């Protein structure tokens, strides 16, 4: 009996250690696997490109580092973004987007709305608060709280942007030579509303200023670009769009179906954002909306954020991204193209945010003028953000 008891205790200890090892090591392993930077030699950046880059106001419309168990106040050896690397890359304004639901087996062609949700397992595995295990709204609130905690621990290097006055203060600090980056909270797919329009105010109170309607599947608001058919806005979706516009929030149609995009354009008179994408002319895949619809988005005064991953731009190198940017300028015009990396969004990239000078070099090599580069790097994005913030 004593031998059996010792065996049982050992089994409990081994099991406990295995569970502990899972919660300690699995999140970091998954992060590293899902958000790799392709190994590469240092990119050659000329003195002229470096000087230009250091003078730019740079903005990025979409990144997902809040999803992962990573201290963003420190320079990490995994993932594609954190505050030190943002500052090294001379980024002025970064949209930190909260992902709250993502279907297992997701692809750019079609996903079932009731597919098993990957974020539930991620929330449990990373020991997020228990309410986040079942509530998409709580997942959004948790990720907002994470960014606010990073701000508190950043020694002033991260400033969360809620208002136009916050944006002006950030720009003043940058002009004064301060090592600082602004963070603007966004939602990737309005699933955290959970069918309740009143929860939009809760997201606003938590700091969210950019609302995307869909992600990888159809939802209560309407059809996804990757859902079951080109469904338009539902009545609830129209109510959310109206409330988003009335509240002075930025409306993002990334991942929305073509019909949802048309419906949004028809019922609004504000500049729209398509935060992270490629351009169909350069990369004719399902992930990228048709060029004529891109022109319709641009006609609202809005911007198209060009991503850095293969399924959007058909290439991952700085040169490949710059080529996509050139094509986007040809399709929608230089006043409507921006950057939308999708860093840390479960994509493989060929550079991280600290290496953005290589993209400036690539845009010069692609023949873009200094004026065009200033617009694409951040000028166009800041125009739209300023137009929507109170």
């Amino acid at each position: 009996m004593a031998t059996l008891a010792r065996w049982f205790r050992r089994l409990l200890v081994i099991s406990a250690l295995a569970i502990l090892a899972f919660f300690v090591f699995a999140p970091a392993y998954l992060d590293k696997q899902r958000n790799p930077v392709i190994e590469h030699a240092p990119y050659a950046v000329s003195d002229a490109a470096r000087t230009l880059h250091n003078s730019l106001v740079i903005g990025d419309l979409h990144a997902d580092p809040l999803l992962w168990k990573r201290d963003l106040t420190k320079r990490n050896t995994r993932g594609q973004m954190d505050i030190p690397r943002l500052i090294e890359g001379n980024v002025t304004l970064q949209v930190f987007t909260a992902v709250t639901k993502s279907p297992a087996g997701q692809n750019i062609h079609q996903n079932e709305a009731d597919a098993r949700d990957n974020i539930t397992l991620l929330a449990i595995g990373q020991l997020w608060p228990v309410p986040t295990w079942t509530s998409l709204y709580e997942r959004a609130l948790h990720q907002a709280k994470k960014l606010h905690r990073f701000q508190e621990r950043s020694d002033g290097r991260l400033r969360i942007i809620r208002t136009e006055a916050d944006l002006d203060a950030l720009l003043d600090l940058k002009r004064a030579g301060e090592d600082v980056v602004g963070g603007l909270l966004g939602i990737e797919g309005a699933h955290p509303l959970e069918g309740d329009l009143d929860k939009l105010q809760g997201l606003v109170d938590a700091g969210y200023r950019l609302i995307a309607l869909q992600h990888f599947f159809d939802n209560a608001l309407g059809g996804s670009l990757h859902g079951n058919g080109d469904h338009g806005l539902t009545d609830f979706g129209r109510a959310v769009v109206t409330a988003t516009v009335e509240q002075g929030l930025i409306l993002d149609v990334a991942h929305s179906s073509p019909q949802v995009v048309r419906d949004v354009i028809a019922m609004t008179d504000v500049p729209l954002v398509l935060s992270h994408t490629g351009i169909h002319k350069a990369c004719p895949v399902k992930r990228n909306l048709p060029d004529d619809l891109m022109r319709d988005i641009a006609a609202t005064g809005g911007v198209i954020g060009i991503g850095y991953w293969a399924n959007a731009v058909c290439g991952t190198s700085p040169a490949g991204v710059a080529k996509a940017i050139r094509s986007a300028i040809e399709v929608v015009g230089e006043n409507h193209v921006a950057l939308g990396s999708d860093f840390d969004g479960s994509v493989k990239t060929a550079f991280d945010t600290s290496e953005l000078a290589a993209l400036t070099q690539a845009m010069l090599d692609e023949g873009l003028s200094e004026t065009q580069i200033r617009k694409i790097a951040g000028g166009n994005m800041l125009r739209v953000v300023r137009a929507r913030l109170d």
Side-chain angles (χ1 to χ4, degrees):
M1 184 65 71
T3 300
L4 181 60
R6 285 195 298 271
W7 177 86
F8 185 69
R9 284 195 297 272
R10 288 174 183 170
L11 180 61
L12 288 177
V13 170
I14 292 171
S15 299
L17 290 173
I19 293 171
L20 179 62
F22 171 80
F23 286 112
V24 170
F25 297 110
Y29 174 80
L30 183 61
D31 183 4
K32 188 173 183 178
Q33 294 298 309
R34 299 296 295 176
N35 303 300
V37 178
I38 299 168
E39 290 190 16
H40 59 273
Y43 294 108
V45 179
S46 68
D47 291 342
R50 181 75 63 182
T51 299
L52 172 59
H53 183 80
N54 290 339
S55 73
L56 297 175
V57 175
I58 300 174
D60 181 354
L61 282 162
H62 189 93
D64 301 321
L66 296 177
L67 189 59
W68 309 100
K69 191 174 182 179
R70 196 189 312 154
D71 184 352
L72 298 185
T73 68
K74 299 178 180 179
R75 198 183 200 289
N76 289 270
T77 57
R78 66 177 187 270
Q80 297 149 351
M81 173 181 292
D82 46 51
I83 295 166
R85 283 185 282 177
L86 283 164
I87 291 172
E88 289 175 32
N90 193 35
V91 176
T92 297
L93 182 61
Q94 177 65 56
V95 176
F96 291 88
T97 317
V99 181
T100 58
K101 186 177 179 182
S102 180
Q106 72 180 34
N107 63 76
I108 64 174
H109 298 288
Q110 181 176 331
N111 299 281
E112 298 296 329
D114 59 355
R116 179 174 58 83
D117 171 38
N118 283 331
I119 309 302
T120 298
L121 296 176
L122 195 63
I124 295 171
Q126 295 186 144
L127 294 177
W128 286 9
V130 172
T132 68
W133 299 4
T134 56
S135 169
L136 308 190
Y137 180 67
E138 291 294 336
R139 291 175 191 177
L141 296 185
H142 173 66
Q143 291 178 69
K145 290 174 183 175
K146 286 179 69 175
L147 191 65
H148 280 85
R149 287 196 295 268
F150 292 140
Q151 176 182 243
E152 292 167 1
R153 293 167 33 216
S154 71
D155 295 324
R157 294 178 301 162
L158 173 66
R159 305 285 181 116
I160 294 177
I161 305 303
R162 293 172 175 257
T163 66
E164 186 177 10
D166 292 340
L167 181 60
D168 288 336
L170 171 71
L171 294 174
D172 286 343
L173 289 170
K174 287 289 289 186
R175 282 190 287 267
E178 295 288 332
D179 288 337
V180 63
V181 61
L184 192 149
L185 277 163
I187 289 290
E188 184 157 32
H191 328 298
L193 297 177
E194 299 177 325
D196 182 359
L197 187 58
D198 290 340
K199 288 181 177 176
L200 181 62
Q201 186 59 54
L203 296 179
V204 172
D205 292 344
Y208 286 99
R209 292 297 181 269
L210 180 145
I211 306 295
L213 304 177
Q214 278 80 33
H215 196 200
F216 269 98
F217 43 84
D218 302 334
N219 63 10
L221 290 83
S224 165
L225 180 62
H226 326 283
N228 288 314
D230 186 17
H231 304 296
L233 286 171
T234 64
D235 289 343
F236 179 65
R238 290 179 180 276
V240 172
V241 168
T242 298
T244 297
V245 171
E246 289 177 348
Q247 293 232 36
L249 306 175
I250 302 162
L251 190 56
D252 183 4
V253 293
H255 292 290
S256 292
S257 71
Q259 188 56 51
V260 163
V261 176
R262 296 186 191 99
D263 290 347
V264 170
I265 291 172
M267 66 177 292
T268 62
D269 59 356
V270 298
L272 301 176
V273 162
L274 201 171
S275 61
H276 57 302
T277 185
I279 202 78
H280 201 270
K281 178 179 180 178
C283 187
V285 297
K286 176 71 179 293
R287 178 65 178 80
N288 300 330
L289 291 174
D291 291 347
D292 60 344
L293 195 50
M294 292 291 202
R295 284 188 283 268
D296 291 341
I297 295 170
T300 70
V303 288
I304 312 298
I306 300 301
Y308 303 165
W309 75 103
N311 284 343
V313 297
C314 293
T316 57
S317 69
V321 177
K323 181 179 178 182
I325 289 170
R326 162 61 74 184
S327 294
I329 291 172
E330 293 170 355
V331 171
V332 302
E334 65 186 49
N335 294 322
H336 305 286
V337 183
L339 304 179
S341 66
D342 203 16
F343 278 144
D344 292 326
S346 293
V347 295
K348 180 188 295 185
T349 65
F351 54 98
D352 69 13
T353 197
S354 72
E355 300 175 283
L356 281 177
L359 181 56
T360 300
Q361 177 71 66
M363 287 191 284
L364 286 171
D365 294 342
E366 190 65 32
L368 272 65
S369 69
E370 178 180 326
T371 297
Q372 289 175 319
I373 291 172
R374 290 190 184 281
K375 290 179 179 181
I376 278 72
N380 292 336
M381 172 184 171
L382 287 183
R383 183 192 74 244
V384 172
V385 170
R386 187 181 292 282
R388 295 302 299 149
L389 293 181
D390 293 331

